[in-house]
Amino acid sequence: FPCELIRNFSVIAHIDHGKSTLSDRLLELTGTITKREKGVNAQVLDKLKVERERGITVKAQTASMIHSHEGRKYLLNLIDTPGHVDFAWEVSRSLAACQGALLLVDATQGVQAQSISVFHVARERGLTIIPVLNKIDLPASQPEVIAAQIQSTFGIDPADIIQISAKTGKGVDKVLEAILTRIPPPNASAEKPLRAFLFDSSYDRYRGVVSLVSVLDGVLRKGDKIVSSHTRKKYEILDLGLMHPEEESTSSLQPGQVGFIACNMKESSEAHIGDTLHHAGASVEPMPGFRPAKAMVYAGIFPVDSNDFVKLEESIKRLVLTDRSVEVTRESSSALGQGCRLGFLGTLHMDVFRQRLEDEYNANVIITAPTVPYKIVYRDKTVTVSNPTDFPDTVDSGSRVKEVQEPVVKASIIVPQEYLGDMMDLCFSHRGEDMDHRFLDSAGASSRVMLTCTLPLSEVVTDFFDKLKSRSSGFASFDYEDAGYKASNLNKMVFLLNGKPVDALALIVHRSAEQEVGRTWVKKLHKVIPRQIFEVPIQAAIGKRIVARETLSAYRADVTAGLYGGHYERKLKHLNNQKESKKRMKRVGNVDLPQEAFYSILKT
Ligand code: GTP
């Protein structure tokens, strides 16, 4: 395939707007898969079990198609992008391998938060954007209204919008034609030295790491010796070929082509998304803007049965081989025993990982409350802390800490006008600042608004998204981008049982939320801790300051049960004895918090 017959493109869309359905339709229309195959695996491009269950794309899947048009055969490379904010970085990388993008918008829902964020990424990369309105088969669709919205939001001429139903197939042929006529071919040269752009990787138990590359220049052949621009490590190409849609080996990948390579890479951490590969001995300019994936949410993960640690660690290690963006270190807790501390790109990423661990490895786990990475600024140095245990006990004027900074994001929420007030309240109560809004449609009852504000990431990673959905009756869509660090009034809250801190429950809390968080957690603990033979104070403390307290009353064995009649003094004596021994126990008493208690506290 000479370059002019190659098209590299992506489908970009908000979650559920029909990206996978359209991708499948394109594969069918070009004969890459048949309808029967499709029946077996409802959506070929969505492979993971969690993805099918949640109906979202987690791992990008890429496929090549061959399409005949006016007597010529074209090679179309569809580069799939993940559809969630946690993976914004991967979206951006996948788009670097494309010249065009189909911007898919649901004609019943209209432009949503991620439609806007992905549009901007695509435009910044200079891609040709083909606007597509999907689901026009639905009676609730409003193609004209949404087309006007697309025009006012993106400055796109409504005449360029293609109306389709990915479900029935209506109009999909026009999309195929637009890919050929509107998207420019890659500008790659066989004469120049090899530059292959690595944009995705997966792990195969037998062959190790399998990477997806886009050949920007030159030719990549089986047996070639290649070098990573990022690590300078050397590899040999053992196998390569097209994704059609399964791997199909070829002898080479030509300039402008997209395909898989297997070389002797042992660990997925060696395959850096955004890396440029070149021939050994040659020197080339790597693709700019390389940045390793950065974990933004950390949590400890412990086995419910502490004897299972070895098994759990083994399972985590195996799973991490397939997902290079998860950071792993060991962690031990006096309450929960041996465990691992994991770093994730976001909370969805964390949930997906936990679910995969449970599904694929049968692991029964306890996950501690998520924490974001904080910066502790001392007079002479700055330390990043991603575990509450490492956070200084007090951050007051007397301590060595100058200030604490937390990561913040720029959030955008798109919502029907009538929910604007609720959404502003929600943002305020989550410490939102610099709030602003603008209308997306010209006035009308169904007019929608985009609300933007700065939010601490720690507020976003808890239950913000669930609240957003429930308080907008499911209508709000949400997206965010990194906005650096900001100084903040934060402290470590620890929980004391009978005066002893439970390390696994420590939290970082903002001054304004201390009372509420303290009370809520103390109540939760009170509910799940079994009564002891002595009285147990349950306290939330910040440094030496107690902010909340509950008392778990003692379980009193009835020592007088066997005494009938009027032996009042004997009864009293027994009760007093019991009191005395309880006092003793209280002094030395250690409250054992059963793992199940942790499980139920941390699950909610
Ligand atoms: P993510 O993978 O989460 O990004 O979602 P997606 O954009 O890939 O959406 P998907 O293709 O899974 O479609 C979401 C839902 O919309 C599914 O239930 C589809 O069956 C449905 N759907 C997609 N296209 C159409 C369409 O043209 N008409 C109708 N009626 N339903 C559609």
Side-chain angles (χ1 to χ4, degrees), residues 16-21 55-57 134-135 137-138 165-167:
D16 267 356
H17 283 199
K19 197 177 68 191
S20 307
T21 312
I56 48 158
T57 314
N134 189 28
K135 308 198 186 179
D137 60 297
L138 290 175
S165 163
K167 192 170 182 185

Side-chain angles (χ1 to χ4, degrees), residues 471-538:
R471 286 170 67 171
S472 66
S473 312
F475 283 116
S477 67
F478 173 64
D479 202 354
Y480 63 82
E481 59 184 68
D482 190 3
Y485 274 79
K486 212 172 184 172
S488 187
N489 193 350
L490 297 162
N491 274 302
K492 170 154 82 173
M493 180 178 285
V494 292
F495 295 91
L496 310 167
L497 293 187
N498 207 17
K500 281 200 165 167
V502 186
D503 58 355
L505 293 181
L507 296 172
I508 307 304
V509 187
H510 187 258
R511 181 76 212 220
S512 62
E514 281 173 4
Q515 293 290 328
E516 197 197 327
V517 173
R519 267 202 296 271
T520 316
W521 280 74
V522 160
K523 282 220 172 70
K524 272 199 214 176
L525 281 163
H526 185 254
K527 239 191 228 153
V528 299
I529 300 174
R531 281 163 136 212
Q532 314 279 320
I533 194 155
F534 47 90
E535 188 180 278
V536 179
I538 304 169

Side-chain angles (χ1 to χ4, degrees), residues 355-367:
Q355 204 175 337
R356 283 183 67 183
L357 200 61
E358 284 176 355
D359 291 350
E360 294 170 34
Y361 298 101
N362 266 326
N364 213 349
V365 295
I366 294 171
I367 296 195

Side-chain angles (χ1 to χ4, degrees), residues 38-173:
K38 190 176 150 53
V40 175
N41 182 0
Q43 264 165 8
V44 177
L45 291 179
D46 270 12
K47 282 180 185 163
L48 292 173
K49 185 176 168 217
V50 262
E51 291 182 327
R52 285 198 301 271
E53 279 175 8
R54 292 183 166 230
I56 48 158
T57 314
V58 174
K59 195 92 189 71
Q61 299 282 335
T62 290
S64 297
M65 303 167 249
I66 294 167
H67 179 53
S68 301
H69 183 72
E70 296 176 346
R72 297 216 279 184
K73 272 193 175 161
Y74 288 84
L75 178 68
L76 310 182
N77 298 312
L78 164 60
I79 294 162
D80 197 10
T81 52
H84 190 274
V85 283
D86 286 0
F87 305 94
W89 166 241
E90 297 199 1
V91 175
S92 160
R93 286 287 90 175
S94 316
L95 291 183
C98 303
Q99 285 72 47
L102 307 177
L103 173 67
L104 194 64
V105 177
D106 185 325
T108 65
Q109 306 243 310
V111 174
Q112 299 286 335
Q114 272 141 61
S115 320
I116 296 182
S117 58
V118 286
F119 170 82
H120 286 301
V121 178
R123 202 172 55 179
E124 273 161 29
R125 296 207 164 267
L127 303 192
T128 301
I129 292 166
I130 303 175
V132 180
L133 258 183
N134 189 28
K135 308 198 186 179
I136 56 160
D137 60 297
L138 290 175
S141 74
Q142 302 177 287
E144 279 74 38
V145 176
I146 309 298
Q149 205 178 69
I150 291 177
Q151 181 178 27
S152 72
T153 317
F154 303 121
I156 286 173
D157 184 349
D160 289 340
I161 301 175
I162 305 173
Q163 301 198 0
I164 67 160
S165 163
K167 192 170 182 185
T168 67
K170 188 177 172 194
V172 178
D173 53 331

